[in-house]
Amino acid sequence: MVGQANILGSQVLTPEERLFIAVLSQAAHDAFSTHVGKLERDTARAFFMNNSRWFKDICELAGREPQYVYEKVRNRILKANG
């Protein structure tokens, strides 16, 4: 139903939060998937590595702590790059 929040455990997620969680999830998928092109992978990795205002806003809209997401994904990118 439109406007109805979904329940995940004890946390109620709004449709907007679910949307921005999906945005972060897709970016993470693109950053580490072997099934996307190099341009998409590089763009997704740059999104995480730049720690821009846009990145921080998306994290906050998804209900995630930007610094935590940045550090976790950054470490994984650095490890993937050798």
Side-chain angles (χ1 to χ4, degrees):
M1 291 186 182
V2 175
Q4 184 177 9
N6 293 309
I7 299 175
L8 178 64
S10 62
Q11 181 181 10
V12 176
L13 300 176
T14 66
E16 293 83 2
E17 287 172 314
R18 292 179 63 229
L19 172 65
F20 287 103
I21 289 168
V23 169
L24 285 175
S25 177
Q26 185 64 52
H29 173 270
D30 291 351
F32 300 106
S33 178
T34 59
H35 297 97
V36 299
K38 182 178 178 352
L39 178 61
E40 289 84 2
R41 185 172 37 257
D42 290 348
T43 301
R45 288 181 179 191
F47 168 73
F48 287 110
M49 296 295 285
N50 291 336
N51 200 19
S52 67
R53 183 71 244 166
W54 179 237
F55 167 78
K56 292 174 186 175
D57 287 345
I58 290 175
C59 286
E60 289 172 5
L61 289 166
R64 303 299 187 260
E65 174 56 45
Q67 190 62 34
Y68 177 83
V69 175
Y70 170 74
E71 289 174 11
K72 289 292 186 178
V73 177
R74 179 183 175 275
N75 288 339
R76 186 161 174 212
I77 290 170
L78 292 174
K79 185 181 272 187
N81 287 343

